[in-house]
Amino acid sequence: MWIADHWKDYEVLDASGGEKLERWGNYILVRPDPQVIWNTPRKHKGWNKKNAHYHRSAKGGGEWEFFNLPDEWSISYPLPGLPAQARPLTFRLKPFSFKHTGLFPEQAANWNWFSGLIRDALKQNPAVQPRILNLFAYTGGATLAAAASGAAVTHVDASKGMVTWAKENAAASGLSNAPIRFLVDDCTKFVEREIRRGSKYDGIIMDPPSYGRGPKGEIWKIEESIWPFLESTVRLLSENPLFFLINSYTTGLQPAVLSYMLNAAVAARFPGHVEAAEIGLPVKDTGLVLPCGASGRWLGTKK
């Protein structure tokens, strides 16, 4: 398992009875988590001092209950490997529909991985800036990590609101002038156009939703769409690419499935190797690790 254990502004304090107790900066949230099927004693005092609680509805969805939480606040992440004087990645947070806050902290495990690859590539060839494509890019965590490490990034998401949020996160992180191209677009159609243009990228990141709609109502169902989309996206890799990363929160796409797909689609065409594992967050009160989905990674081998 790959564990996001470098956070200072975020931590899972405890997890029990279908919910997790989290600290986001100075604020304590309780949110549902389907992985938390155990019912251990809730001894942490934060359970009784929470700032907000998202209650799941039996009919689907749910709603927030607020006690003392601002409409918006920020937390920072010091990306390992950057110079000491570098600004940390900074993320604006706010509670919005379906329990989310605008950030998936467990993804920091992947940010650490590919940002190191980008920095290594720049050390070996400072004159060539790696080009990274981030698909289903949400509020830009991976985009900021790649840009802060020296890459030129193309950030694509179908939601105009998420892209605006990502731009605000970039500004808060001191990356307003970084070479980031922010695009509101359907990822499938964008990839098709990039293939026709002959565009190439040295690294590709994708974090596809289980289900979604594009700007013009395009339907995305991950079990039906992910394989043909992966086959198409691989065509955008450069001659000597650095990496390919797929994230999944869908239970059907376990690490072995991600590994198989990456081996069949990427490793069959480029020299390198594939790894896949669960990603997780440490739980402070128990010392255990909370699973938070899976990732598949292909790492290129220099020719």
Side-chain angles (χ1 to χ4, degrees), residues 18-257:
E19 295 180 315
K20 55 189 174 185
L21 178 71
E22 304 165 290
R23 179 181 65 83
W24 297 80
N26 296 324
Y27 303 101
I28 306 296
L29 306 185
V30 176
R31 298 192 297 158
D33 191 316
Q35 299 283 356
V36 184
I37 61 174
W38 50 90
N39 215 340
T40 49
R42 296 186 172 192
K43 297 179 180 180
H44 196 285
K45 62 183 181 181
W47 291 106
N48 298 316
K49 295 184 178 180
K50 53 189 175 287
N51 297 97
H53 189 170
Y54 186 91
H55 298 278
R56 178 90 70 177
S57 170
K59 298 179 181 179
E63 62 180 1
W64 285 97
E65 178 184 11
F66 299 110
F67 303 100
N68 184 21
L69 187 73
D71 293 336
E72 184 180 304
W73 72 105
S74 297
I75 63 172
S76 296
Y77 181 71
L79 191 67
L82 294 185
Q85 68 272 20
R87 286 179 63 173
L89 307 183
T90 300
F91 303 98
R92 294 174 52 251
L93 304 175
K94 56 184 176 182
F96 70 111
S97 61
F98 197 61
K99 76 179 182 180
H100 296 310
T101 62
L103 183 67
F104 293 99
E106 64 275 7
Q107 286 300 323
N110 286 321
W111 305 342
N112 298 349
W113 174 69
F114 66 69
S115 63
L117 298 178
I118 292 168
R119 291 193 301 272
D120 288 345
L122 282 168
K123 288 178 183 177
Q124 294 175 18
N125 193 350
V128 179
Q129 187 175 41
R131 299 182 70 235
I132 307 300
L133 174 61
N134 187 12
L135 298 165
F136 309 99
Y138 196 50
T139 59
T143 294
L144 302 189
S149 300
V153 187
T154 298
H155 171 114
V156 186
D157 197 279
S159 168
K160 183 178 180 180
M162 292 299 107
V163 173
T164 298
W165 196 335
K167 291 179 180 178
E168 293 169 350
N169 283 338
S173 302
L175 296 169
S176 293
N177 296 322
I180 304 173
R181 183 167 59 136
F182 290 101
L183 300 173
V184 180
D185 205 343
D186 175 77
C187 288
T188 300
K189 292 186 176 180
F190 173 79
V191 167
E192 292 171 353
R193 288 196 300 273
E194 287 289 87
I195 291 171
R196 293 194 295 269
R197 294 171 184 139
S199 299
K200 297 295 180 181
Y201 296 90
D202 303 303
I204 296 178
I205 301 161
M206 63 170 68
D207 198 348
S210 299
Y211 177 86
R213 290 183 180 271
K216 297 182 180 179
E218 301 90 344
I219 300 296
W220 168 278
K221 294 182 180 179
I222 195 167
E223 291 85 353
E224 300 173 4
S225 305
I226 187 62
W227 173 248
F229 182 68
L230 175 58
E231 285 189 300
S232 295
T233 306
V234 169
R235 295 172 64 185
L236 296 178
L237 286 172
S238 61
E239 183 179 347
N240 194 15
L242 297 174
F243 68 88
F244 201 114
L245 170 66
I246 303 180
N247 296 308
S248 173
Y249 296 94
T250 302
T251 55
L253 297 187
Q254 299 175 14
V257 175

